[in-house]
Amino acid sequence: MKNQRIIVFDTTLRDGEQCPGASMNLREKLEVARQLARLNVDVIEAGFPVVSDGDFESVQSIAREIKGPIIAGLARCVSKDIDAAGAAVKPAGKRGRIHVFLATSKIHREFKLGKAQDEIIRLAVEGVRRAKSFVSDVEFSPEDASRTEPDFLIRVCQAVIDAGATTVNIPDTVGWAVPDQFGPLIRELYQSVPAFQSGKAVISVHCHNDLGLAVANSLAAIQNGARQIECTINGIGERAGNASLEETVMALKTRPDIYKGFECGVKTREIVKSSRLVSRMSGLVVQRSKAIVGENAFAHSSGIHQDGILKKRETYEIMDPREVGWGATQLPLTKHSGRAAVSARLKHLGFKMTDPEVSAIFNQFKEIGDKKKFVYDDDLTALVEGHITETPEIWTLDYFNVTSGNRAVPTATVRLKKADAKEPVTDAGTGDGPVDATLKAIDRITNTRGTLIDYALRAVSQGKDALGEVTIKADFGTGELITGKGASTDIVEASARAYLHAVNRHLSEVDRPKREKQKKHS
Ligand code: KIV
Ligand code: ZN
């Protein structure tokens, strides 16, 4: 196999976003797409356009704005899906790709689709041909490929390539594969389909992490002929997630003795920045011990290790943390920094902000600058987030006061302002702790009743006065998990802001039909 270039196909904005509670709005998706372009991935799967107007708009906006990577839209083998994907990726011109999929495994054929093998091939071929009428770059995925009979899988690959597919993706949809089986399966496909050998079509893999083997399976596939890997930042995705981009890419780079000659275009110094952005935008906190991007990935606590590191870094570090973007923090800003400095730093961090947004962030920056000595890039990024969530600020926090102690009933008094209302509203609540009491008071004022499903607090930057960022997931009785985020130097305030963010998101969803009706009549 002469070609050793690995195409990195990022599906953070599609499969990653399918992770419960990870949904992102248009602005958040655009920020992630811009960062993926800086990371220099080859393909961005921007979404599944037929799913909703919002998904269509995100794929179309990304296709319109992002230059460099190929922009892909997902579609079932159904005309309306393919037409929507074709229209959504159109602004990307020659860089537009349609990714069609159809299940091929016996269990999916019999129980999900009720279709025989020949019918599956007919539908797959029709889907690819229809996609071809929109773009020349068509990818086909036989869903649940790893559990499909290999002979049938070979027939499917051959048929879709004959119909015009230029990439055939082999998904391990349910994370069932293990490297010793997945590698040989890819080899068998490579050896049985001449178009894979000639380079007319590329074999891709898309591995899920149900057994924690997504990265290992992707690497085994590369060694056996795959030349595209589908992955996500931080490994987010359906259920246990997808192969993590950072782990797969760094395994290739760190072990050239094993993965000889394989290379990809990813700018690894952008990895940590990408991980943090995705974590913030999706509300999915990265576990501390996560490889490459977790807080502890390069932290050495035992004395023996620290001693070794000081003598020679390589004694306990297999990668240079700077290579993946750690430790590149610039001089922090202080309360004396002016608007121009803040604006320049925002630009440097890659945020595209309007003048009023920069002013709003600058005001908040001044507030925290009074409370903490240094304002780091991460602090600033946490502030930016509040301004790009596009959630209407129906209720805003004006004032709060909590009393708490080991013998006192935690009590909170909260005052909120409602948009367009002259007077703020004050109420009080008691709870299991100061945060619980504050959220109860917010419920009373906003007339909502949220159940907290998930609560995560993390220090955004370094030092005792670090900004605390709270991410919550709440259910307001609709069964849908709504994410809210808030940052402050005070934990209770950060929690109140995060909860209020979720309340506003929930209320704006409830109001949406009313607002759309009003829009139509105005
Ligand atoms: O896991 C899967 O099979 C998928 C396909 C749509 C590629 O996500
Ligand atoms: Zn998937």
Side-chain angles (χ1 to χ4, degrees), residues 375-491:
V375 181
Y376 295 92
D377 287 353
D378 286 339
D379 296 325
L380 217 48
T381 309
L383 296 185
V384 167
E385 177 163 295
H387 292 267
I388 63 173
T389 51
E390 284 179 352
T391 307
E393 297 213 300
I394 302 171
W395 291 96
T396 48
L397 180 66
D398 184 32
Y399 158 93
F400 78 97
N401 182 52
V402 287
T403 51
S404 180
N406 62 345
R407 305 234 169 133
V409 177
T411 309
T413 305
V414 176
R415 189 164 67 213
L416 301 182
K417 278 188 187 155
K418 190 167 191 194
D420 301 334
K422 273 197 187 131
E423 297 300 324
V425 188
T426 307
D427 211 326
T430 57
D432 293 338
V435 170
D436 189 37
T438 307
L439 305 198
K440 293 247 170 68
I442 293 178
D443 271 348
R444 287 168 68 97
I445 298 173
T446 58
N447 203 16
T448 52
R449 209 179 159 76
T451 308
L452 219 54
I453 306 294
D454 202 9
Y455 175 97
L457 165 72
R458 66 178 208 103
V460 171
S461 55
Q462 54 262 66
K464 275 192 192 148
D465 59 355
L467 213 59
E469 186 185 61
V470 170
T471 305
I472 58 128
K473 291 192 198 305
D475 182 351
F476 291 90
T478 60
E480 194 199 339
L481 287 190
I482 300 196
T483 304
K485 288 166 264 182
S488 168
T489 47
D490 180 286
I491 294 170

Side-chain angles (χ1 to χ4, degrees), residues 14-15 74 99 101 141 143 169 171 173 206 208:
R14 200 278 298 168
D15 215 326
L74 185 68
H99 175 190
F101 74 98
S141 284
E143 191 190 7
N169 179 44
T173 303
H206 173 111
H208 277 275

Side-chain angles (χ1 to χ4, degrees), residues 56-231:
F56 181 90
E57 204 191 337
S58 321
V59 178
Q60 193 181 44
S61 307
I62 290 170
R64 195 177 293 132
E65 186 193 308
I66 304 298
K67 306 286 175 242
I70 289 168
I71 308 299
L74 185 68
R76 290 168 299 178
C77 272
V78 171
S79 306
K80 71 170 178 352
D81 285 37
I82 298 168
D83 297 354
V89 302
K90 195 167 183 224
K94 287 205 169 87
R95 289 180 300 103
R97 173 182 294 191
I98 299 179
H99 175 190
V100 275
F101 74 98
L102 179 65
T104 52
S105 65
K106 191 163 186 281
I107 185 168
H108 279 234
R109 288 193 319 262
E110 284 180 7
F111 292 93
K112 191 178 87 174
L113 302 172
K115 297 204 186 308
Q117 289 188 348
D118 286 349
E119 180 67 353
I120 294 286
I121 293 201
R122 189 184 67 75
L123 290 172
V125 164
E126 252 178 33
V128 169
R129 286 204 183 122
R130 192 172 186 101
K132 246 355 218 192
S133 70
F134 292 96
V135 287
S136 58
D137 185 347
V138 174
E139 170 169 333
F140 178 80
S141 284
E143 191 190 7
D144 204 16
S146 55
R147 293 195 299 172
T148 300
E149 306 89 318
D151 286 353
F152 179 51
L153 195 54
I154 292 167
R155 275 181 61 209
V156 172
C157 292
Q158 193 57 65
V160 293
I161 291 169
D162 290 345
T166 41
T167 302
V168 183
N169 179 44
I170 306 300
D172 180 25
T173 303
V174 290
W176 178 77
V178 296
D180 281 348
Q181 163 236 345
F182 199 58
L185 171 67
I186 300 301
R187 178 154 296 260
E188 191 180 346
L189 295 177
Y190 181 86
Q191 286 172 343
S192 311
V193 179
F196 290 143
Q197 292 158 40
S198 69
K200 187 179 157 213
V202 170
I203 309 186
S204 166
V205 289
H206 173 111
C207 299
H208 277 275
N209 208 27
D210 299 66
L211 291 173
L213 293 170
V215 172
N217 284 329
S218 304
L219 294 170
I222 287 174
Q223 284 177 307
N224 284 284
R227 290 296 174 266
Q228 174 176 287
I229 46 157
E230 301 200 355
C231 45

